[in-house]
Amino acid sequence: MRRSDRVTAILERLADGGAVNVAGVAHDLGVSVATIRRDLTLLDDQNLVIRTRGGAVGRAEAYELPVRYRDSRSRAAKQSIARMAMCCMTSCRQVVAINGGTTAGEVARLLATRTGLTVVTNALNIASLMVNQPRVKLIVTGGVARPNSYELVGPVAERTLGRMNIDTAFIGIDGINATTGLSTHDPVEAQINALMISRARRVVVVADGSKIGRSLLAPVAGLLAVTELVTDTTADVDEVAAIAARGVKVTVAQPAAR
């Protein structure tokens, strides 16, 4: 197992239970106790966990899995979601906005192959994908960077977005629920995402099945703001039906044929 996969598994356990035991994690992952100790030391150095005798606990601010550890999770499903999300794009020139996250990143990879687009983003990982694409005009909002999501937030980002008229916004989200709508972990990030949604004529939410049904700390927008949800076959069927019943077009991306 690669280190990135191990630390992702450790952080997910911390998000679920708040603490991990070295021996227990080593047994579950099939690696040595010494390997897990080194992984926990790395995470402690990055201020993502606090080491304890025999294990670690999560930091209060580290409940959101950082993007660098989310990249490899459900990659094939996220790529299928991105391909399906692109079906709504016409060939005409338009202004597209996109926020951060790994599923949105897969959408960005496909947008980068298009011609005649103006892409507005508040995410550094998205900007890095777009910056060398000569056929795409890139606008980056500026603002204060959040290390966990690579998103730029705060007054500078809000002022930039507030002056934009957006045709289509692709929104990656941490949770979408039929009752509570869209939500995320961080209130400041929720604010900039809400503004991006409010400036768009069409809002396409891209979220893998693990995000469906979740309701998190910071509300972003109600379902009335969402034009379409694109998810995958791992999404809870009842929750997907409930979201569709609220007037959202739901598209379920099928796994790519092998």
Side-chain angles (χ1 to χ4, degrees):
M1 179 179 280
R2 296 178 304 173
R3 168 170 275 184
S4 61
D5 294 329
R6 294 196 307 271
V7 295
T8 295
I10 291 168
L11 289 171
E12 287 176 336
R13 283 165 169 76
L14 287 169
D16 289 339
V20 293
N21 173 272
V22 170
V25 175
H27 178 270
D28 291 345
L29 300 184
V31 296
S32 70
V33 168
T35 295
I36 297 302
R37 288 199 183 105
R38 287 193 293 270
D39 291 340
L40 291 178
T41 298
L42 170 69
L43 293 173
D44 187 36
D45 291 342
Q46 296 176 351
N47 293 317
L48 293 172
V49 306
I50 300 171
R51 287 298 307 272
T52 62
R53 185 177 180 84
V57 297
R59 291 183 179 273
E61 67 272 21
Y63 50 78
E64 176 187 1
L65 194 63
V67 166
R68 63 185 178 275
Y69 295 130
R70 282 185 268 151
D71 273 339
S72 62
R73 300 172 68 206
S74 307
R75 182 74 181 272
K78 293 172 183 179
Q79 290 172 338
S80 296
I81 290 169
R83 287 192 294 269
M84 190 61 66
M86 292 297 292
C87 292
C88 74
M89 292 289 293
T90 63
S91 58
C92 65
R93 293 180 179 273
Q94 59 177 293
V95 179
V96 176
I98 185 165
N99 67 349
T102 53
T103 308
E106 296 299 335
V107 174
R109 293 179 196 280
L110 298 180
L111 288 174
T113 66
R114 293 294 187 102
T115 301
L117 292 182
T118 297
V119 175
V120 181
T121 187
N122 70 316
L124 295 174
N125 59 318
I126 304 300
S128 68
L129 288 171
M130 296 287 182
V131 68
N132 290 321
Q133 302 301 320
R135 295 174 294 181
V136 174
K137 179 180 179 181
L138 173 66
I139 299 175
V140 183
T141 63
V144 178
R146 290 194 67 239
N148 275 10
S149 67
Y150 299 161
E151 289 199 37
L152 301 169
V153 299
V156 173
E158 291 167 13
R159 282 197 298 271
T160 303
L161 272 180
R163 295 195 294 265
M164 299 289 174
N165 291 318
I166 297 163
D167 297 306
T168 301
F170 291 99
I171 303 296
I173 202 70
D174 293 312
I176 177 168
N177 182 283
T179 302
T180 58
L182 309 181
S183 60
T184 190
H185 294 281
D186 183 76
V188 178
E189 189 172 302
Q191 190 168 331
I192 194 71
N193 289 340
L195 179 58
M196 183 178 288
I197 288 169
S198 73
R199 301 300 301 173
R201 292 191 301 105
R202 177 181 178 82
V203 175
V204 180
V205 174
V206 289
D208 67 68
S210 68
K211 312 299 180 13
I212 308 304
R214 297 179 77 192
S215 184
L216 301 170
L217 171 69
V220 174
L223 290 183
L224 286 176
V226 179
T227 309
E228 182 177 1
L229 165 65
V230 186
T231 187
D232 67 274
T233 55
T234 66
D236 181 85
V237 175
D238 292 337
E239 187 69 23
V240 166
I243 291 170
R246 298 292 302 274
V248 177
K249 177 184 176 183
V250 178
T251 302
V252 179
Q254 300 298 317
R258 297 194 178 192

